[in-house]
Amino acid sequence: MTPPVAERSAYPVSPTIQAAAKPMLPGRRRDFLAGASRLAAATMLAAAAGLAGVLARAVWQANGGSADGTPYAGGAGWETIGPAVAGTLWLALATAALALPIGLGTALYLEEYARPKRRAVRAFQAAVAHLAGVPSVVYGVAGLVVLVHGLSAGRSIFAGGLALAALALPTVVATSAEAIRAVPDDLRTAAYGLGATRWQVVRHQVLPAAAAPIAAGACAAITRTAGEAAPLLVLGATSFATFAPAGPGDPLVSLPTQVFAWAVRPQAEFAAQAAGAAIALLAILLGLNVAGLFLRRRLRKVLP
Amino acid sequence: MLSADRLSVRFGSKTALADVSLDVPAQKIVSVIGRSACGKTTLLRAFNRTNEMIAGARTTGTARFHGTDLYGRTVDPVEVRRRIGMIFQRATPFPKSVFDNIAFGPRAGGFAGDLHELAEEVLTSAGLWADVAGDLDAPALALSAGQQQQLCIARTLAVRPDVLLMDEPTASLDPAATARIESLVHSLKATYTVVIATHDLSQAARLSDMTAFLDAGELVEYSPTATLFTNPRTRQAEEYVTGRTS
């Protein structure tokens, strides 16, 4: 037996339906999320505006303006921040050269070659995920112990590059593995069905299909680590470089550590230097990000 | 030429195919019918060794191709898949150009001839040449669903297999595209041996010379198509083909 319609409806009838004879009005439903998300966006905007203000102040300071408005004669010059700029570029290069091949290779092994049910493989995956969450300063300590004390690599660009690469590696593995996992299995099955070997399937189907997100993930990880100061401070970056490093064996200098070294000093000259170095660092990271964006778009167009 | 002898496939503890024995004669079309999950796909995949790509799959019994045990110790599964091609239910063109879709298999197999000539030949066999001849560099994903399935058949032909395994190749196509694929399958019979799994009983009746009826992983009846559809030996097959089935 079916109950009458009115009894069956346990839900409040929408006013727009009740007033169907009248012209339909735009629905006015209470939506908590709409308000909350607007508020969140406004907060984000305020934070961005604040950051822009700080940046403007930094530009002013770097050009010789002081914090209280009185101009001071100096300013940030290439002679002072040049070595650190070169150091950061070297470090980014070393990170990319080490973390990308090793990270991508590990991800390929985990996703395409390793048998997923093996306990050791699972443990390895979990370890990688946890390594990505280890604070960067710990990588610095590990680098100090292993590279500087253990391998006598010295407080060099080489040691810094290795530490930053180790820091970027888990992220590169995680993002690459995710990109590889996102390649539809149908594609693999079809390729195997045509008599391709595993290497051919990986090389010609999986990698091209995953290249864009792999590049994006790697770029993000490299940019992130290039801005790190903590591990390099622990390793013992110098803040009084008088010449730009020309190779991996030269003393470790970088922009983030330089910003830190200058920012903690009270004199206006150093404030200007710190501001100049911060701006240079931001410019480099922005450049890396933009390069990553272009690479991603290009890969998406060319490969598949 | 292709045969199964007490062939069983298990996925973990679940038996997908139990003790199936049958012979597929050369240059004939054999259809495999039965309800969903009765083992049609598993049987087809067992013939080109693609079940083993699924974790936990175990195959017992023998599958022979020209007398060679496909699961023999010295047999390379890659070689098996080149000789026994497979077309899947959902057309899965590679996200590349039409030409690269055709070229992938031959290149993987070390084909040394003229790829363009080969592409024209197999696209013509698949009835797609007239549609794509003008632009082989067009993306394969821009083709219609029916054309994509034709492309998948063409790229399988490009590997020059002896046998074509087709797993419900028209299940996701409209009637016009289905008719195109069916006439294509019919024309392939002259050169290839075809095993086609299908849900569509009238398709099995129209296309095939022999029909195998599977139920719950077991081969219930394997008879000439005309016999199975008009005068089946078993009661289960009769109930299934007449639609009197629960």
Side-chain angles (χ1 to χ4, degrees):
Chain A
M1 197 187 91
T2 29
V5 175
E7 271 176 48
R8 242 190 324 183
S9 157
Y11 302 97
V13 177
S14 148
T16 47
I17 293 179
Q18 277 184 334
K22 295 183 198 163
M24 297 275 267
L25 295 168
R28 276 173 200 280
R29 283 164 189 275
R30 284 167 63 198
D31 185 344
F32 169 72
L33 258 185
S37 66
R38 243 174 242 137
L39 190 66
T43 313
M44 178 69 216
L45 204 63
L51 207 62
V54 171
L55 190 65
R57 203 184 92 124
V59 172
W60 155 260
Q61 277 188 312
N63 283 311
S66 70
D68 53 13
T70 45
Y72 117 90
W78 187 249
E79 325 75 66
T80 45
I81 65 166
V85 169
T88 283
L89 290 176
W90 271 113
L91 289 171
L93 188 70
T95 312
L98 291 169
L100 186 56
I102 300 175
L104 179 56
T106 307
L108 273 178
Y109 170 75
L110 284 176
E111 294 300 321
E112 297 289 328
Y113 290 92
R115 280 197 245 151
K117 289 213 166 153
R118 279 227 189 123
R119 200 166 292 170
V121 172
R122 290 226 185 134
F124 189 44
Q125 280 170 323
V128 168
H130 287 295
L131 276 178
V134 170
S136 60
V137 69
V138 177
Y139 281 89
V141 175
L144 185 67
V145 172
V146 176
L147 301 171
V148 178
H149 296 162
L151 295 178
S152 310
R155 300 166 198 283
S156 60
I157 290 283
F158 173 69
L162 273 179
L164 290 189
L167 178 60
L169 197 53
T171 315
V172 174
V173 173
T175 53
S176 302
E178 196 174 324
I180 292 165
R181 217 173 306 140
V183 175
D185 255 342
D186 284 356
L187 221 58
R188 293 183 183 85
T189 315
Y192 280 119
L194 290 170
T197 61
R198 176 134 64 176
W199 161 244
Q200 287 166 334
V201 174
V202 169
R203 166 68 187 79
H204 297 288
Q205 301 298 344
V206 177
L207 274 184
I214 287 173
C219 264
I222 290 159
T223 312
R224 191 78 239 169
T225 49
E228 281 285 348
L232 301 181
L233 285 172
V234 177
L235 272 181
T238 175
S239 56
F240 297 101
T242 48
F243 64 96
D250 283 346
L252 177 57
V253 276
S254 79
L255 279 168
T257 53
Q258 205 69 69
V259 170
F260 174 75
W262 283 331
V264 294
R265 290 170 156 260
Q267 297 92 330
E269 295 93 318
F270 289 115
Q273 305 293 2
I279 292 166
L281 179 60
L282 282 176
I284 289 177
L285 298 190
L286 187 69
L288 285 176
N289 264 329
V290 170
L293 216 67
F294 271 104
L295 183 66
R296 194 165 83 189
R297 291 180 70 181
R298 221 185 130 61
L299 285 177
R300 202 172 280 160
K301 237 182 256 170
V302 174
L303 278 173
Chain B
M1 68 177 308
L2 190 64
S3 67
D5 187 19
R6 299 186 60 95
L7 190 64
S8 299
V9 179
R10 275 183 301 162
F11 297 111
S13 59
K14 198 177 146 282
T15 301
L17 203 64
D19 272 345
V20 168
S21 304
L22 86 171
D23 270 298
V24 177
Q27 261 119 63
K28 295 277 186 232
I29 300 178
V30 172
S31 58
V32 182
I33 60 170
R35 296 173 189 87
S36 293
C38 69
K40 299 191 292 288
T41 300
T42 306
L43 175 62
L44 259 58
R45 292 178 65 125
F47 278 131
N48 80 336
R49 291 191 62 172
T50 34
N51 280 323
E52 61 206 70
M53 281 155 34
I54 301 166
R58 245 178 65 90
T59 308
T60 52
T62 50
R64 288 181 192 284
F65 175 62
H66 289 302
T68 309
D69 183 1
L70 291 173
Y71 287 83
R73 273 187 185 285
T74 56
V75 173
D76 178 6
V78 169
E79 180 65 22
V80 171
R81 293 173 202 140
R82 283 179 188 153
R83 304 289 298 275
I84 303 174
M86 181 136 184
I87 286 127
F88 301 91
Q89 178 176 349
R90 228 150 48 86
T92 50
F94 302 128
K96 298 169 187 277
S97 69
V98 169
F99 179 79
D100 283 336
N101 265 273
I102 301 289
F104 176 74
R107 276 181 185 148
F111 179 76
D114 184 344
L115 278 169
H116 279 92
E117 225 167 73
L118 180 70
E120 178 172 351
E121 181 209 312
V122 295
L123 284 167
T124 307
S125 305
L128 196 59
W129 179 246
D131 296 353
V132 299
D135 192 6
L136 289 182
D137 292 326
L141 292 171
L143 299 174
S144 73
Q147 289 173 326
Q148 289 188 8
Q149 192 61 292
Q150 283 172 293
L151 176 64
C152 289
I153 294 173
R155 79 179 174 192
T156 305
L157 298 182
V159 184
R160 301 225 181 281
D162 298 327
V163 180
L164 287 177
L165 307 170
M166 307 180 117
D167 186 10
E168 298 182 38
T170 60
S172 47
L173 299 182
D174 65 50
T178 299
R180 259 204 330 276
I181 302 282
E182 278 188 16
S183 73
L184 163 60
V185 171
H186 204 80
S187 69
L188 292 174
K189 195 171 90 163
T191 344
Y192 300 91
T193 304
V194 180
V195 183
I196 180 170
T198 180
H199 266 307
D200 182 348
L201 293 181
S202 57
Q203 182 174 66
R206 276 195 302 274
L207 277 179
S208 62
D209 302 295
M210 301 281 290
T211 297
F213 170 56
L214 289 180
D215 192 32
E218 285 177 33
L219 180 64
V220 176
E221 180 165 348
Y222 181 47
S223 305
T225 299
T227 311
L228 194 125
F229 278 93
T230 55
N231 190 19
R233 281 185 287 109
T234 57
R235 203 170 52 84
Q236 293 115 293
E238 187 186 346
E239 283 176 353
Y240 186 71
V241 299
T242 52
R244 277 187 288 118
T245 172
S246 50

